[in-house]
Amino acid sequence: MSEYILEMKDISKSFPGVKALDKVSLKLRPGTVHALMGENGAGKSTLMKCLFGVYSMDEGRIFYNGEYVRIANPFDALRKGIAMVHQELQPIPERSIAENIFCGRYPAKLPGVVDHARMNAETAEVLKKVGLDPEPERKLGTLSVSQIQLVEIARAVSVGARIVIMDEPTSSLTSSEVSKLFGIIDSLREEGVAIIYISHKMDEILRISNDVTIMRDGQYIGTWPAGELTTDLIITRMVGRQMTNLFPRKENTPGETVLEVENYTSINPKSFRGISFNLRKGEILGVSGLVGAQRTELMEGLFGLRASVSGAIIYKGVKFKCSRPKDAIDHGIALLTEDRRRTGIFGVLSVADNISVASINKFHKYKLMIDGKKINELVEANVKKLSIKTPGIRTLIQSLSGGNQQKVIVSRWLANDPDVFIMDEPTRGIDVGAKYEIYCIIADLAKQGKSILMISSEMGELIGMADRIMVMCDGRVTGFVEGDEMNEETIMELATRFETEDEKYA
């Protein structure tokens, strides 16, 4: 019997205008965690989708437990004992947690009759394993992004797979949730389950992996024992060059106040309350806090996506009511949302459509006609300016890597020439090379005098990019740090400064 539970040999896959995989091989040992690394666009997710039956291979062979297999589709992969936690979450928000976990394989007590009692009981057990409260009948759409991520992981665990693919499984998780996930992985490893783990977080890779395979531009670079690698060595092999700086040099000079927020309070009493801060021209103001701090909710409130009950937003000295996104857009405010797939991109539309959608009213040739030529000129200029890697402007955005999708969203707002950019987790799920490109875009915007509100769960990212950091906990601002105070210890102390019940209702 082979020492490998899985062997993928000379896998190739092409899409129109792009060769995503070029004779890539991968060997996986049972009871190990095998990290798969590379920049966005390296082909990692494509390779895994070939294994999981989402894509059909153009060339290559797959051996499972030493036997040659063909995997027709994801249901076939699940039947063979291969499960996948996708990078882009794919929830059915209006169905229950249990229905999402058992989608496509509902237990039946009679032909055509779902055994809900059994399904809910089994769901409760698997939710406990991933550290979620057992509420099987709760609608999935009521959960946070991090909770939905854990449900996706629970689904993979529930099928009893012998191979589990985890594509950026911690992108939405807190440090405590990450620790729970690693505990789950350790349990699976002890049971002989093999894990293919895709992540851009170096500390995770070095902490949990047995083996590391690196890909670049759709090609296999090599496989090494994790113990022989360092962060610098991984980055060099990923990008094919030395990276001496993780963040660009700060060349912005914050000026006069552009945006003031005074005592801003959500209509939801469990959300943000009493928020006050100011944002200066050319400033990058970082926003830090743990999951549940209501950072995203606050930013959505400032953009008119959530209602407020009191407080004021003052833009360039003028107070205005932000009841809907159009109000924010009209006052020069742009929002890059936390979840690219669900609320950022229009996946079934082209790169050109995604870039031009927010400024389409500028391109009316006549009352009922759009000037397509001017739109194409705008799109092509932005593709060149931000170095967006795409076969063409008519390519569907969903076929682009995460980093390039994020560049498209930045381009969308640049077409409106806003003064304030709200960026919620702008580098989530993006590799180290593409992250640097996004950082350079943010730094350049600040240098041009644009004001940036940047939310990030990575404290190192905020420390490296921000001029100041506003820290939130439990829906309120607990402090601001700048200069030498911008360190992880100070930020964490502020991020865990919960109110007492007396303070909360004083």
Side-chain angles (χ1 to χ4, degrees), residues 176-219:
S176 62
E177 288 168 335
V178 170
S179 295
K180 290 177 184 176
L181 173 62
F182 287 175
I184 295 165
I185 289 174
D186 285 337
S187 297
L188 292 172
R189 184 159 39 186
E190 289 171 6
E191 294 170 8
V193 176
I195 312 287
I196 301 176
Y197 193 93
I198 301 176
S199 177
H200 296 121
K201 298 179 179 179
M202 302 295 170
D203 57 334
E204 291 182 3
I205 294 300
L206 296 175
R207 175 180 167 189
I208 200 168
S209 302
N210 300 102
D211 303 299
V212 178
T213 288
I214 294 176
M215 296 175 61
R216 188 192 316 140
D217 298 328
Q219 296 183 326

Side-chain angles (χ1 to χ4, degrees), residues 300-311:
E300 290 177 348
L302 297 176
F303 196 68
L305 290 169
R306 292 178 184 266
S308 63
V309 71
S310 65

Side-chain angles (χ1 to χ4, degrees), residues 37 46 56 143 155 167 172 191 197 204 209 284 353 494:
M37 303 196 70
T46 301
S56 59
L143 272 58
R155 177 192 294 170
D167 193 351
S172 303
E191 294 170 8
Y197 193 93
E204 291 182 3
S209 302
I284 301 174
D353 292 333
L494 291 169

Side-chain angles (χ1 to χ4, degrees), residues 363-366 369-376:
F363 299 100
H364 282 114
K365 193 172 184 179
Y366 303 106
M369 293 182 65
I370 300 295
D371 193 331
K373 182 179 178 181
K374 286 189 176 179
I375 288 178
N376 288 345

Side-chain angles (χ1 to χ4, degrees), residues 49-55 62 64 68-84 103-105 159 161-163:
K49 287 178 180 178
C50 288
L51 173 59
F52 194 58
V54 177
Y55 297 149
I62 297 174
Y64 181 50
Y68 170 66
V69 294
R70 291 179 181 272
I71 300 173
N73 52 53
F75 290 116
D76 187 24
L78 287 170
R79 283 192 295 268
K80 287 179 167 65
I82 302 170
M84 183 170 183
C103 184
R105 54 187 185 94
V159 301
R162 305 312 300 165
I163 295 174

Side-chain angles (χ1 to χ4, degrees), residues 417-442:
D417 194 27
D419 290 314
V420 175
F421 282 82
I422 301 172
M423 298 186 174
D424 195 348
E425 303 286 3
T427 65
R428 172 167 287 168
I430 296 176
D431 68 80
V432 65
K435 273 186 178 182
Y436 187 78
E437 293 180 345
I438 297 294
Y439 295 152
C440 288
I441 291 169
I442 294 171

